Amino acid sequence: RVHVVENSIFVHRLSKYGVDYRRDGLSSVDQTSFPDELSLLLIKMTKKEGLRFSGIDVILNENGFFVIEINPMPGYHSYEIRANSGYPITQALYELLQKPNL
């Protein structure tokens, strides 16, 4: 799962037990990174949709990365909690909301 907040990207790798992690359960959630080219593409996609915040579902398999969907109002807090990554998305959103040009 990728969350984009303006020009920042937050990537969480989800290891799952079944087809749908929301129903079949997760074995782990880890904060990770993406190749720069893919990160820039996902930021560009978010901006093209007129968004400043998005959640993007991406699958990685033996053939590479596949973008599934872009969510305009994504949940994000559970990823931060499961990954024990602190609250970087929350902090980025807080900083975005402090900007006077919203």
Side-chain angles (χ1 to χ4, degrees), residues 2 4 9 11 33-46 56-60 64-67:
V2 178
V4 175
I9 191 162
V11 182
S33 62
F34 265 179
D36 288 342
E37 183 177 324
L38 182 56
S39 296
L40 292 173
L41 176 64
L42 297 178
I43 290 169
K44 190 176 185 179
M45 285 174 52
T46 296
I56 303 172
D57 296 330
V58 179
I59 291 177
L60 170 62
F65 293 98
F66 295 89
V67 174

Side-chain angles (χ1 to χ4, degrees), residues 11-91:
V11 182
H12 289 90
R13 179 184 297 254
L14 288 72
S15 299
K16 59 185 178 58
Y17 293 119
V19 174
D20 186 343
Y21 72 88
R22 295 167 297 181
R23 295 187 190 119
D24 301 325
L26 288 170
S27 58
S28 68
V29 176
D30 302 301
Q31 192 168 6
T32 188
S33 62
F34 265 179
D36 288 342
E37 183 177 324
L38 182 56
S39 296
L40 292 173
L41 176 64
L42 297 178
I43 290 169
K44 190 176 185 179
M45 285 174 52
T46 296
K47 289 179 180 180
K48 185 175 181 183
E49 293 298 321
L51 302 171
R52 297 171 83 184
F53 174 50
S54 71
I56 303 172
D57 296 330
V58 179
I59 291 177
L60 170 62
N61 67 19
E62 63 276 355
N63 296 312
F65 293 98
F66 295 89
V67 174
I68 305 301
E69 66 179 343
I70 182 168
N71 299 286
M73 193 187 322
Y76 65 92
H77 188 66
S78 66
Y79 296 96
E80 293 178 317
I81 291 171
R82 288 182 182 138
N84 292 316
S85 60
Y87 299 97
I89 302 168
T90 300
Q91 183 64 39

